[in-house]
Short mmCIF file of all heavy atoms in Angstrom, two decimals:
data_model
loop_
_atom_site.label_atom_id
_atom_site.label_comp_id
_atom_site.label_asym_id
_atom_site.label_seq_id
_atom_site.Cartn_x
_atom_site.Cartn_y
_atom_site.Cartn_z
N ALA A 175 -2.29 9.76 -0.57
CA ALA A 175 -3.72 9.68 -0.26
C ALA A 175 -3.98 8.93 1.04
O ALA A 175 -2.99 8.21 1.57
CB ALA A 175 -4.45 9.00 -1.47
N ALA A 176 -5.22 8.99 1.50
CA ALA A 176 -5.50 8.38 2.80
C ALA A 176 -5.46 6.86 2.71
O ALA A 176 -5.36 6.25 3.78
CB ALA A 176 -6.82 8.90 3.31
N VAL A 177 -5.71 6.31 1.59
CA VAL A 177 -5.79 4.88 1.37
C VAL A 177 -5.01 4.39 0.32
O VAL A 177 -4.96 4.94 -0.79
CB VAL A 177 -7.35 4.53 1.05
CG1 VAL A 177 -7.48 3.00 0.99
CG2 VAL A 177 -8.30 5.11 2.19
N ALA A 326 -14.18 0.87 5.09
CA ALA A 326 -14.64 2.23 4.99
C ALA A 326 -15.23 2.73 6.29
O ALA A 326 -15.18 3.97 6.58
CB ALA A 326 -15.64 2.30 3.87
N ASN A 328 -14.32 1.89 9.48
CA ASN A 328 -13.34 2.15 10.63
C ASN A 328 -12.05 2.89 10.26
O ASN A 328 -11.30 3.25 11.03
CB ASN A 328 -12.94 0.80 11.32
CG ASN A 328 -12.24 -0.14 10.43
OD1 ASN A 328 -11.61 0.25 9.44
ND2 ASN A 328 -12.14 -1.42 10.80
N ALA A 329 -11.88 3.16 8.89
CA ALA A 329 -10.70 3.83 8.36
C ALA A 329 -10.55 5.21 9.14
O ALA A 329 -9.37 5.54 9.45
CB ALA A 329 -10.83 4.00 6.93
N VAL A 330 -11.57 5.95 9.33
CA VAL A 330 -11.45 7.26 9.89
C VAL A 330 -10.83 7.25 11.28
O VAL A 330 -10.05 8.09 11.57
CB VAL A 330 -12.84 7.96 9.77
CG1 VAL A 330 -12.78 9.31 10.54
CG2 VAL A 330 -13.25 8.22 8.47
N ASP A 331 -11.30 6.24 11.97
CA ASP A 331 -10.65 6.00 13.36
C ASP A 331 -9.14 5.90 13.49
O ASP A 331 -8.39 6.41 14.23
CB ASP A 331 -11.32 4.93 14.16
CG ASP A 331 -12.79 5.07 14.38
OD1 ASP A 331 -13.24 6.24 14.44
OD2 ASP A 331 -13.53 4.13 14.38
N PHE A 332 -8.74 5.11 12.38
CA PHE A 332 -7.24 4.87 12.32
C PHE A 332 -6.57 6.11 11.81
O PHE A 332 -5.46 6.45 12.35
CB PHE A 332 -6.97 3.66 11.39
CG PHE A 332 -7.26 2.31 12.04
CD1 PHE A 332 -8.44 1.73 11.98
CD2 PHE A 332 -6.16 1.66 12.66
CE1 PHE A 332 -8.68 0.49 12.60
CE2 PHE A 332 -6.38 0.44 13.33
CZ PHE A 332 -7.63 -0.14 13.27
N LEU A 333 -7.13 6.75 10.79
CA LEU A 333 -6.57 7.87 10.24
C LEU A 333 -6.45 9.09 11.19
O LEU A 333 -5.73 10.02 10.99
CB LEU A 333 -7.26 8.33 8.94
CG LEU A 333 -7.11 7.33 7.79
CD1 LEU A 333 -8.20 7.72 6.67
CD2 LEU A 333 -5.68 7.47 7.27
N ALA A 334 -7.20 9.09 12.26
CA ALA A 334 -7.28 10.14 13.29
C ALA A 334 -6.03 10.06 14.27
O ALA A 334 -5.77 11.01 14.94
CB ALA A 334 -8.54 10.13 14.06
N LEU A 335 -5.32 8.92 14.11
CA LEU A 335 -4.16 8.74 15.06
C LEU A 335 -2.96 9.40 14.61
O LEU A 335 -2.75 9.55 13.34
CB LEU A 335 -3.80 7.21 15.21
CG LEU A 335 -4.92 6.43 15.84
CD1 LEU A 335 -4.42 4.90 15.90
CD2 LEU A 335 -5.29 6.76 17.20
N VAL A 338 -0.46 7.47 12.27
CA VAL A 338 -0.99 6.87 11.08
C VAL A 338 -1.08 7.82 10.03
O VAL A 338 -1.64 8.92 10.06
CB VAL A 338 -2.33 6.27 11.39
CG1 VAL A 338 -3.03 5.79 10.03
CG2 VAL A 338 -2.25 5.08 12.31
N VAL A 339 -0.30 7.50 8.83
CA VAL A 339 -0.38 8.45 7.64
C VAL A 339 -1.45 8.04 6.73
O VAL A 339 -2.02 8.80 6.03
CB VAL A 339 1.06 8.39 7.00
CG1 VAL A 339 1.07 9.24 5.81
CG2 VAL A 339 2.10 8.87 8.01
N CYS A 340 -1.68 6.72 6.47
CA CYS A 340 -2.65 6.25 5.54
C CYS A 340 -3.05 4.83 6.05
O CYS A 340 -2.41 4.26 6.96
CB CYS A 340 -2.13 6.13 4.19
SG CYS A 340 -0.76 4.99 3.91
N VAL A 341 -3.95 4.22 5.39
CA VAL A 341 -4.32 2.98 5.66
C VAL A 341 -4.34 2.07 4.37
O VAL A 341 -4.43 2.65 3.30
CB VAL A 341 -5.77 2.72 6.27
CG1 VAL A 341 -5.81 3.50 7.63
CG2 VAL A 341 -6.87 3.31 5.40
N ARG A 365 -13.07 8.05 -4.84
CA ARG A 365 -13.26 9.45 -4.53
C ARG A 365 -13.63 9.60 -3.04
O ARG A 365 -13.13 10.51 -2.32
CB ARG A 365 -14.46 10.06 -5.32
CG ARG A 365 -14.08 10.24 -6.81
CD ARG A 365 -15.20 11.19 -7.43
NE ARG A 365 -14.88 11.38 -8.82
CZ ARG A 365 -15.49 10.87 -9.83
NH1 ARG A 365 -16.56 9.97 -9.57
NH2 ARG A 365 -15.21 11.13 -11.13
N HIS A 366 -14.46 8.74 -2.50
CA HIS A 366 -14.76 8.72 -1.13
C HIS A 366 -13.51 8.56 -0.30
O HIS A 366 -13.32 9.15 0.81
CB HIS A 366 -15.83 7.65 -0.74
CG HIS A 366 -17.13 8.03 -1.16
ND1 HIS A 366 -17.88 9.11 -0.60
CD2 HIS A 366 -18.07 7.49 -2.15
CE1 HIS A 366 -19.15 9.23 -1.19
NE2 HIS A 366 -19.23 8.25 -2.08
N ALA A 367 -12.70 7.59 -0.68
CA ALA A 367 -11.42 7.32 0.10
C ALA A 367 -10.50 8.55 0.02
O ALA A 367 -9.87 8.88 1.02
CB ALA A 367 -10.75 6.09 -0.53
N ARG A 368 -10.37 9.17 -1.16
CA ARG A 368 -9.54 10.30 -1.29
C ARG A 368 -9.99 11.40 -0.32
O ARG A 368 -9.16 12.19 0.10
CB ARG A 368 -9.64 10.82 -2.76
CG ARG A 368 -8.77 12.01 -3.05
CD ARG A 368 -7.34 11.69 -3.25
NE ARG A 368 -6.49 12.85 -3.13
CZ ARG A 368 -5.14 12.83 -3.18
NH1 ARG A 368 -4.56 11.74 -3.41
NH2 ARG A 368 -4.51 13.92 -3.13
N ALA A 369 -11.19 11.52 -0.08
CA ALA A 369 -11.77 12.63 0.76
C ALA A 369 -11.76 12.35 2.29
O ALA A 369 -12.09 13.20 3.06
CB ALA A 369 -13.23 12.87 0.36
N LEU A 370 -11.27 11.13 2.66
CA LEU A 370 -11.17 10.79 4.13
C LEU A 370 -10.29 11.77 4.79
O LEU A 370 -9.18 12.02 4.35
CB LEU A 370 -10.71 9.35 4.32
CG LEU A 370 -11.73 8.24 3.94
CD1 LEU A 370 -11.00 6.90 3.98
CD2 LEU A 370 -12.98 8.26 4.78
N PRO A 371 -10.61 12.24 5.96
CA PRO A 371 -9.86 13.14 6.73
C PRO A 371 -8.68 12.49 7.38
O PRO A 371 -8.83 11.28 7.80
CB PRO A 371 -10.73 13.74 7.74
CG PRO A 371 -11.84 12.74 7.97
CD PRO A 371 -11.95 12.04 6.67
N ARG A 372 -7.60 13.14 7.59
CA ARG A 372 -6.41 12.51 8.28
C ARG A 372 -5.86 13.54 9.38
O ARG A 372 -6.10 14.74 9.23
CB ARG A 372 -5.23 12.30 7.31
CG ARG A 372 -5.55 11.16 6.25
CD ARG A 372 -4.25 10.88 5.56
NE ARG A 372 -4.04 11.73 4.33
CZ ARG A 372 -3.10 11.45 3.37
NH1 ARG A 372 -2.33 10.43 3.60
NH2 ARG A 372 -3.12 12.19 2.31
N SER A 373 -5.21 12.97 10.36
CA SER A 373 -4.72 13.79 11.44
C SER A 373 -3.60 14.78 10.92
O SER A 373 -3.00 14.58 9.94
CB SER A 373 -4.17 12.97 12.51
OG SER A 373 -3.09 12.16 12.14
#
Side-chain angles (χ1 to χ4, degrees):
V177 183
N328 64 18
V330 173
D331 295 331
F332 282 90
L333 291 166
L335 298 178
V338 170
V339 178
C340 67
V341 299
R365 286 198 183 105
H366 283 296
R368 179 78 196 179
L370 288 172
R372 291 190 273 187
S373 62

